Amino acid sequence: MEEIDFKKIEKKWQKKWDEKKIFNVKEEGKKEKFYCLEMFAYPSGSGLHMGHALNYTIGDIFARFKILQGFNVLHPTGYDALGLPAENAAIKVGTHPEEYTKNSMKNFTKQMKSLGFSYDWSRLINTSNPNYYKWDQWIFLKMFERGLAYQKESNVNWCPSCETVLANEQAQNGACDRCNTKVKVKHLNQWFLKITDYADELLDKIDDLNWPERTKLMQKHWIGKSYGAEIDFSINGEKYPVFTTRSDTIYGVTFVVVSPYHSKIKEIITKEQKKEVNVFLKKLNSVSEKEIAILEKEGVFTGSYAINPLTQEKIPVYMGNFVVADYGGGMVMAVPAHDKRDFEFAKKYGIKTKIVIDPVDFELNEKNLTEAYTEEGTLINSEEFNGMTNSDAKEKIVQFLSKKGLGRKTTQFRLKDWGISRQRYWGAPIPIIHCGKCGAVPVPEKNLPIKLPKKVKFGKGNPLLTNEKWINVKCPKCGGKGKRETDTMDTFVNSSWYFLRYCDVKNNKKIFDKEKVGYWNPVDMYIGGAEHACMHLIYSRFYVKFLRDLGLLNFDEPAKRLFHQGMIHSEEGEKMSKSKGNVVDPMSISKKYGVDALRFFLVSVASPDKDFEWSEKGIQGSFKFIKKIYDFFERLKIGKDSEKILSKLNLTIKNVGEYLENLEYRKATIELRELFDLIYEEGKASRDTFEKFLKLISPFCPHVSEELWEKLGNKNFITTNFWPEFKEVQIINKFEGDLNKKIIESISEIMRKFEARGDKISKVYFYFVPFEIGKVSQKKLKEGLGKEVFIYSVQDKKKYDPESRSKKARPGMPGIYFE
Ligand code: ANZ
Ligand code: ZN
């Protein structure tokens, strides 16, 4: 058989699609719109990896399916080009980040184009282009005007290696997301975006989203709403509101614990205690916030006392490592008798406990309490609230406090404002000028963008500090001496609204045209990694709500449907990584087996949201399948369809359509193989059947499909043709019984022969070709055969197969071994 020149076919069709601009879309016509989006890539120097290829293939198949269904499909791509990794990588190889990024993007574009993705390349976004980040700065100014961008002294995660502040989300395990260095606490003046203003809406709207449940749950958790009360304790005559979810325990408060980073901490520490407190602080600052959370609860007496508003008791104020500064007022009313953490703390420092909740069936005693009692009960030692159940008391005590103006019902969010200050070069400069007289002055809109100066020195610290000329500018307000803000914005700001800019990439006058964005948005299908559940996917929801409130959008949420792809592991089941030397590169694979085989393989091993292992045998299988189709079409015999083919064709159209809609691509590839195998077996079919088969497989294998479509004599593109319809009446049951049934019938017969000979069978082992594994049920086979049943894929390395029966497996009939 002749070798097929897949490269030539791929190039040919990619060029034709490009010339005819079939993926370039406008907001017009009678078609319904569909916005299909994959998370854009950070263009790393090492090029596209298999994870990218999978992500984009999943999106591309969906986009192509939607085109065939007759939608006006927007399918754009771009580069999340700013950020620390590019800066670090550039420094490492001794080039400028701009140069480095340019080269990476060029390489990425070449590679993505070679994989035949259906992108509208005229809409390419590069976030490091000042024409893009100008609008990041513009959004910042709009937030600043409305008090949603502000500066505050805060406790931040500092990565000593990257020499920058990290968001909490970027230092989740006490280590830097990027370089894994242990993160430290630093106290710095930082810029924040007030995402907390939208906490309620961010939480409430989650339920309406067609997003993976796990992601929705993670966001709920991240936002973390607590219902409780704020109670005013007074220290040195000043009021300190303290958040509690347990107002019922107010009479049991025996001390108060304040965060080391409380804004008024200096007023609380007395002269006498200063030295001791400093020893404690020194120890604390050497660890990250996350580590603090798992450290033993420790503290130190501040020297001050607080007054309990209900009992008027004087109680000591401690500083504690477990109190978070920007939560619940940064202070805790401690109830050792009824809270585990407070109990340990009190024991450690010899603070008294007071029981205020009485269990129903036994009695507690302060003297021999060995642990906190955290369950329900009735109130004691609580004056007029004695005898109430503690849940009743919660309400009643807050009401009482409210009336006296000593407290109020409230909620608290775990979500914090988004710290966007980065002390690094490769980000959008924050458009602020600091003036000795006027303070932080926003750069006038007409002066945007504030471009990054090319001339800076990389090395220690923030490179922007090395360009005096750039820093020293006039104050826009008073004309006096001013200095530019040298913090740049977290790159997550860039990705918070890029999907909007795709709708109007070239607009120089406005961030985007409202009509255009309104036409395409919200995104109908968004595909990307689950690791973005709590950063990008919350930030972009926040940005959409903010831009809506500016009057620019008429919708509330960025994406209707969200899909997370799985991870690809190496053949040995490990994570693919350069250091392990087990990386399979999509470019060399596509060179060897063709792009269509790679695409087909990527979605045929596992459901695309599941992790799977790379398999050289698997890609070879896909290659063989595509080659078989190609060869078959070369010697095509057109004739009348058999009833069986017609039935299978219609069933396949029906099922593949459903599977694609639900992103069950693997199941679709199984059906397509079956349909082809049947046609192959019979040796001929009608032109209509061949054409329909090609249409069905074209989202997966667009190049070969176009080529064969042309061979059938068609002059137009199959890509922009239409999805075939099926006729239910042509699906004939007798042909379409399920695989389980077929197997049970034939195996039963074989077993009967064996058993007639006197062989005893108790176990049946099955070896299926991989794509059939999902179509059989162990339970059904077991029931049908009345034996113990084991099911393996022929590729399973750990299968039990003493007589190599797996070699006998073929589609429709597994290898079998009896025991
Ligand atoms: C008194 C009390 C008694 C509490 C008791 C609990 C049990 P969630 O549900 O997470 O919102 N708290 C308040 N602010 C804090 C801060 N900044 N850092 C650390 N802890 C803080 O938890 C709210 C509870 O966590 C509050 O209710 C408070 O302790 C503590 F038997 O108040 B509680
Ligand atoms: Zn000024």
Side-chain angles (χ1 to χ4, degrees), residues 226 243-245 322-324 327 332-333 338-339 341 414:
S226 287
F243 177 70
T244 178
T245 48
F322 60 85
V323 185
V324 182
Y327 189 75
V332 182
M333 59 177 234
H338 304 291
D339 180 80
R341 188 172 66 185
R414 187 135 316 209

Side-chain angles (χ1 to χ4, degrees), residues 750-751 754-755 759-764 787 818-819:
I750 301 171
M751 279 191 346
F754 272 79
E755 287 176 329
D759 291 348
K760 284 219 158 53
I761 299 171
S762 62
K763 293 173 185 159
V764 186
K787 310 281 175 198
F818 297 123
E819 226 177 46

Side-chain angles (χ1 to χ4, degrees), residues 285-350:
N285 283 339
S286 66
V287 292
S288 74
E289 280 216 83
K290 183 74 190 186
E291 275 175 300
I292 291 171
I294 47 172
L295 282 182
E296 193 182 338
K297 312 307 166 222
E298 282 188 350
V300 61
F301 180 46
T302 61
S304 287
Y305 289 87
I307 310 286
N308 182 326
L310 283 195
T311 63
Q312 299 303 321
E313 240 178 314
K314 226 176 119 182
I315 48 178
V317 179
Y318 277 75
M319 176 188 277
N321 63 0
F322 60 85
V323 185
V324 182
D326 39 13
Y327 189 75
M331 215 180 260
V332 182
M333 59 177 234
V335 188
H338 304 291
D339 180 80
K340 268 198 185 117
R341 188 172 66 185
D342 299 347
F343 184 82
E344 283 166 36
F345 197 90
K347 256 204 146 163
K348 192 162 177 171
Y349 298 103

Side-chain angles (χ1 to χ4, degrees), residues 435 437-438 475 477-478:
C435 166
K437 250 185 14 219
C438 315
C475 166
K477 216 169 175 181
C478 72

Side-chain angles (χ1 to χ4, degrees), residues 626-638:
I626 290 164
K627 192 166 150 36
K628 194 169 159 187
I629 297 172
Y630 196 90
D631 290 337
F632 186 77
F633 271 78
E634 293 266 270
R635 304 169 280 109
L636 203 61
K637 281 206 201 89
I638 292 179

